[in-house]
Amino acid sequence: MNKKISLIIPSDSDNFYINDYLINISLWSLIPSEIIIINTTKKKYVIHKITSEILKKKKTNIILLNKKNFYPGAARNAGVAVSKNRYLVFLDMNTVPYNKDWLKKNFKFFIKNNLDALIGQTYYLANTKKEKIIRASTYGKNFLNTLPGSIFDKRVFEKVGLFNSKIRAGEDIDWLRRLSKNHFKIKTSLFPISYKGLNNVTYLMIIKKWFRNYFSSSNLPHLSMQKNLYIYGLFFFLFFLAYNWNYHLDFEKNQIYIPHITKFFLFISFVIYSAIRGIYIPLKKNISLNFLFPINFLMITFFSFILDQVKSLSFSLGVLKKLFASKR
């Protein structure tokens, strides 16, 4: 079954198995009439003849754009520009719809309800213990609203505009926020897709990604990050106060002298942070108690602490960079 839908897929990896991806699409119960792949790497993607023939029989046209060093927003904009159909669907190289009916049923729901936008939902896959620790510290096991897996009437771009093409990350969230401010008819996807980007990932890779993404998107609205900065600022102020509390008092002669106040403050802070980042937040993200205990919550707490510092640092540096650039 084929419909006048354009599927847009940006890719920034030399390890994108494009033929496997396209063969997977050919098995869907509803196949887009147009698949636009935007390659932003130096490597040339090669679509095998047999892959092209399979999709040609399905009356699907493949368009491969080579846009070296394009950021994701710029790549998606290029896809939107060349698309010939009214309805646009977005995926990326790490998102996989394992349900072959996902597009058919979502598109039927889209048309039946006369929607302008159907926002995708993504579940983050994790297999090894390390991947599960990373998932518990970041995305969690809830279905998250994402641009991949979304369906749009192309006309929404006339009012919302295109994606921010000058930033490395965060352009999708920024665009979805702009979309929500308009009076469009929007619902969330009925059938989620899966994200396999945590496969074989390392802690260092996630740390680098967090720094890159938050540094790049520091000029976008990030109220939660500003709140984090306020919280850390308050923490360091209280730590400074606790460290100097007894120093300015006449030791035991003063009634408000508190023995070992610095150690006590740090211990209480650790307990509170562990309870929030190692237990409460993972539970809200649908991580099970069985996984958290007896020791995994400590690993999640430690890695979450590192990511929180990285986010705050990258956000601060990004703001400073913008500030200095504006004064030139």
Side-chain angles (χ1 to χ4, degrees), residues 74-301:
R76 292 190 179 100
N77 291 343
V80 172
V82 302
S83 62
K84 297 181 175 64
N85 298 314
R86 174 179 173 179
Y87 302 108
L88 304 181
V89 176
F90 288 90
L91 288 176
D92 63 33
M93 62 181 186
N94 284 316
T95 50
V96 182
Y98 286 109
N99 186 331
K100 70 175 184 178
D101 296 323
W102 84 277
L103 181 55
K104 179 181 179 180
K105 293 182 177 179
N106 278 336
F107 187 68
K108 183 179 179 181
F109 179 73
F110 183 95
I111 297 298
K112 182 180 179 181
N113 290 276
N114 194 29
L115 300 179
D116 298 303
L118 186 71
I119 307 302
Q121 289 198 305
T122 299
Y123 178 81
Y124 288 76
L125 299 173
N127 298 310
T128 66
K129 181 179 178 179
K130 176 178 63 179
E131 292 169 9
K132 291 177 181 178
I133 292 292
I134 292 173
R135 180 174 64 181
S137 307
T138 53
Y139 310 105
K141 294 176 68 176
N142 292 325
F143 295 125
L144 302 182
N145 289 350
T146 57
L147 183 73
S150 298
I151 304 174
F152 302 107
D153 187 315
K154 193 174 184 179
R155 291 178 294 185
V156 303
F157 285 88
E158 297 174 4
K159 192 167 184 179
V160 179
L162 294 172
F163 299 96
N164 189 322
S165 62
K166 298 181 180 180
I167 56 175
R168 179 62 184 82
E171 84 296 330
D172 50 349
I173 303 300
D174 172 62
W175 191 87
L176 290 174
R177 282 175 176 167
R178 283 189 278 139
L179 175 74
S180 65
K181 292 179 180 179
N182 289 273
H183 299 292
F184 291 120
K185 196 171 182 181
I186 304 171
K187 290 186 179 296
T188 54
S189 172
L190 298 178
F191 291 86
I193 57 178
S194 298
Y195 177 81
K196 59 184 182 66
L198 294 181
N199 184 38
N200 294 322
V201 76
T202 65
Y203 293 114
L204 183 59
M205 289 167 63
I206 293 294
I207 291 170
K208 288 181 177 179
K209 180 179 178 180
W210 247 237
F211 181 84
R212 179 199 68 192
N213 288 359
Y214 280 90
F215 180 77
S216 176
S217 60
S218 58
N219 63 329
L220 299 176
H222 278 80
L223 294 179
S224 60
M225 281 305 308
Q226 293 178 25
K227 290 177 183 177
N228 283 345
L229 290 175
Y230 295 148
I231 291 171
Y232 289 130
L234 177 62
F235 170 82
F236 286 115
F237 170 76
L238 292 175
F239 174 75
F240 177 80
L241 182 64
Y243 183 77
N244 290 276
W245 184 270
N246 291 335
Y247 180 80
H248 296 287
L249 301 175
D250 191 12
F251 297 100
E252 288 83 353
K253 294 180 180 179
N254 197 309
Q255 292 182 350
I256 58 174
Y257 172 84
I258 304 175
H260 308 293
I261 184 174
T262 306
K263 295 177 182 178
F264 180 73
F265 173 78
L266 290 176
F267 175 75
I268 293 298
S269 298
F270 171 76
V271 171
I272 294 174
Y273 187 85
S274 298
I276 295 174
R277 291 299 269 124
I279 301 174
Y280 175 70
I281 292 180
L283 286 175
K284 284 192 67 177
K285 294 179 178 180
N286 208 24
I287 306 299
S288 68
L289 276 172
N290 289 337
F291 179 74
L292 294 177
F293 293 99
I295 197 169
N296 286 341
F297 83 95
L298 291 175
M299 299 173 67
I300 295 168
T301 298

Side-chain angles (χ1 to χ4, degrees), residues 136-137 273 277 299-309:
S137 307
Y273 187 85
R277 291 299 269 124
M299 299 173 67
I300 295 168
T301 298
F302 179 70
F303 190 57
S304 296
F305 178 77
I306 292 175
L307 292 182
D308 284 344
Q309 306 314 305

Side-chain angles (χ1 to χ4, degrees), residues 7-35:
L7 173 60
I8 299 174
I9 308 169
S11 174
D12 62 356
S13 173
D14 292 340
N15 297 318
F16 178 44
Y17 300 104
I18 186 171
N19 291 281
D20 292 343
Y21 203 105
L22 291 173
I23 292 298
N24 177 276
I25 293 174
S26 73
L27 300 175
W28 295 354
S29 56
L30 173 61
I31 304 172
S33 62
E34 184 177 65
I35 301 174

